[in-house]
């Protein structure tokens, strides 16, 4: 079947696929990828690394624009949908952080909201949540894949393998700096809508009202605390996930990753994501309290937050609920992200020892 016929028969949108000359070398590919064996392929086809899409012969070239577009789309789905789904938990958490005298616990917090605002009150602020975290997810996952490859190429195969955790940390931190710029305005409106009943119904009236009250720059008042919350969170999220998944495949599953079923691989992604999410919640919780406090009170400062909440409260207030929320959220995000990658024909994230991948990449590059 010709290439054009394959494209017409594809069930996957054509914009996700990129075709390039078979003469393109694999020499500069990152060591952190699955590299399938190609023992009998003709030399003209072995010089380029492609991952076949499911159910049809279309292909996405690794680290092509189509690859990053697919990762960006997966990030939108994974972050936007999951954060919107846990809006009730997020709403109770924010109110526990702002008004602990009224919202004393998780159960009483839900009871207060149900009594005062009804069932609809649990989903207040879902629109800025969906839009803000969709934008954040697009940048977080898309740029993580880009920076991971970029820093790996700068380091070279030997050092990228030796210092793989530093590559994960640097790549995720760089991606999150950009992602939070996209998120910050929507996060500011979301917190105000969720913690001040009567302020606004949602994004459409809340955003202009916030700007009139705080000015346009007020939307970014919480950017530095947001970086303080999200950058450590994302560094932990990606580096611990990559490490946990690699350990699961190495010590808990007898078969190599490429011999495991896709459902098992996605289960590993969810499990690794959930454990990573617990670590994320603990590391980023003090900054999360600061973000909620600053966005709730006009003219508030970090000193005001520390004075009112105290250091112990800064680290512990709302933490159990956030562990449950972030653990579930992170596990679901990795599950959705990798499920989308599988859907478009890409390998799931992590699970291959970088040394083995680098060796295979080098061998392919020599062919």
């Amino acid at each position: 079947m010709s290439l054009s016929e394959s494209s017409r028969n594809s069930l996957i949108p054509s914009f996700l696929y990129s075709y390039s000359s078979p003469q393109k070398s694999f020499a500069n590919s990152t060591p952190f990828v699955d590299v399938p064996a190609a023992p009998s392929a003709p030399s003209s086809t072995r010089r380029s690394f492609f991952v076949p899409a499911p159910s049809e012969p279309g292909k996405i070239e690794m680290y092509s624009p189509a690859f990053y577009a697919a990762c960006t789309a997966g990030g939108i789905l994974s972050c936007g949908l999951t954060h919107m789904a846990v809006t009730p938990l997020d709403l109770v958490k924010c109110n526990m952080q702002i008004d602990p005298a009224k919202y004393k616990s998780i159960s009483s917090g839900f009871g207060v909201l149900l009594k005062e605002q009804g069932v609809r009150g649990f989903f207040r602020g879902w629109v800025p949540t969906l839009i803000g975290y969709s934008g954040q997810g697009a940048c977080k996952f898309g740029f993580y894949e880009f920076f991971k490859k970029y820093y790996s190429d700068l380091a070279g195969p030997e050092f990228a393998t030796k210092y793989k955790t530093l590559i994960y940390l640097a790549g995720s931190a760089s991606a999150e700096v950009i992602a939070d710029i996209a998120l910050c305005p929507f996060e500011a409106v979301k917190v105000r809508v969720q913690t001040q009943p009567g302020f606004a119904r949602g994004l459409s009236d809340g955003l202009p009202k916030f700007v009139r009250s705080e000015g346009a720059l007020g939307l970014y008042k919480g950017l530095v605390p947001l970086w303080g919350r999200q950058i450590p969170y994302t560094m932990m999220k990606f580096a611990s996930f990559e490490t946990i998944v690699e350990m699961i495949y190495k010590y808990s599953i007898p078969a190599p990753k490429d011999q495991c079923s896709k459902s098992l691989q996605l289960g590993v992604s969810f499990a690794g994501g959930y454990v990573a999410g617990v670590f994320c919640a603990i590391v980023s919780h003090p900054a999360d309290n600061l973000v909620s406090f600053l966005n709730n009170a006009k003219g508030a400062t970090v000193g005001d937050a520390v004075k009112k909440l105290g250091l112990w409260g800064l680290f512990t207030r709302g933490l159990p609920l956030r562990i449950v929320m972030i653990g579930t959220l992170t596990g679901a995000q990795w599950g959705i992200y990798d499920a989308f990658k599988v859907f478009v024909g890409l390998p799931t994230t992590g699970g291959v020892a970088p040394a083995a991948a680098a060796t295979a990449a080098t061998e392919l590059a020599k062919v």
Side-chain angles (χ1 to χ4, degrees), residues 351-367:
V352 177
T359 300
T362 302
E363 292 301 319
L364 281 180
K366 293 177 180 177
V367 176

Side-chain angles (χ1 to χ4, degrees), residues 269-286:
S269 293
F270 176 82
Y274 196 98
V275 176
V278 174
F279 294 133
C280 293
I282 296 171
V283 167
S284 62
H285 192 64

Side-chain angles (χ1 to χ4, degrees), residues 40-255:
S40 60
S43 60
S44 61
T45 59
R46 284 187 297 174
R47 296 179 65 86
S48 182
F49 178 67
F50 292 100
V51 180
S55 304
E56 55 85 41
K59 295 165 184 169
I60 296 181
E61 183 185 359
M62 292 295 291
Y63 309 110
S64 66
F67 167 79
Y68 292 117
C71 294
T72 298
I76 291 173
L77 293 174
S78 67
C79 289
L81 295 178
T82 52
H83 276 277
M84 183 184 69
V86 298
T87 295
L89 283 173
D90 187 41
L91 198 150
V92 172
K93 173 191 69 70
C94 287
N95 280 282
M96 286 177 65
Q97 292 170 330
I98 298 303
D99 192 356
K102 184 176 181 180
Y103 298 87
K104 294 181 172 60
S105 65
I106 297 173
S107 58
S108 66
F110 276 106
V112 170
L113 284 175
L114 181 63
K115 181 179 179 180
E116 293 185 352
Q117 302 177 37
V119 175
R120 293 183 62 183
F122 288 122
F123 293 93
R124 199 169 69 248
W126 72 269
V127 175
T129 297
L130 175 62
I131 296 175
Y133 282 95
S134 292
Q136 186 213 37
C139 297
K140 184 197 298 273
F141 283 91
F143 279 108
Y144 172 68
E145 299 285 3
F146 171 80
F147 282 118
K148 185 169 69 169
K149 170 71 163 61
Y150 178 73
Y151 292 143
S152 296
D153 288 345
L154 284 181
E158 180 181 352
F159 287 107
T161 300
K162 185 176 181 181
Y163 300 108
K164 59 184 178 180
T165 301
L166 291 179
I167 298 291
Y168 301 146
L169 291 171
S172 57
S174 300
E176 192 60 37
V177 169
I178 300 171
D180 288 344
I181 295 174
L183 170 64
C184 193
F186 299 98
E187 180 76 359
V189 175
K190 175 189 79 73
V191 171
R192 189 66 62 89
V193 168
Q194 289 181 337
T195 59
Q196 291 187 10
F199 171 75
R201 295 186 306 275
L203 180 64
S204 60
D205 58 336
L207 180 59
K209 191 172 182 178
F210 192 104
V211 172
R212 287 195 299 269
S213 173
E214 303 274 353
L217 291 178
L219 292 169
Y220 285 92
K221 179 178 66 174
L223 180 59
V224 174
L226 189 62
W227 276 333
R229 180 187 80 184
Q230 289 298 132
I231 291 176
Y233 165 89
T234 300
M235 293 170 71
M236 180 65 72
K237 173 179 179 176
F238 283 88
S240 62
F241 172 82
E242 297 262 16
T243 302
I244 291 166
V245 167
E246 185 177 330
M247 291 177 66
I248 290 175
Y249 282 113
K250 185 175 182 180
Y251 297 109
S252 300
I253 299 177

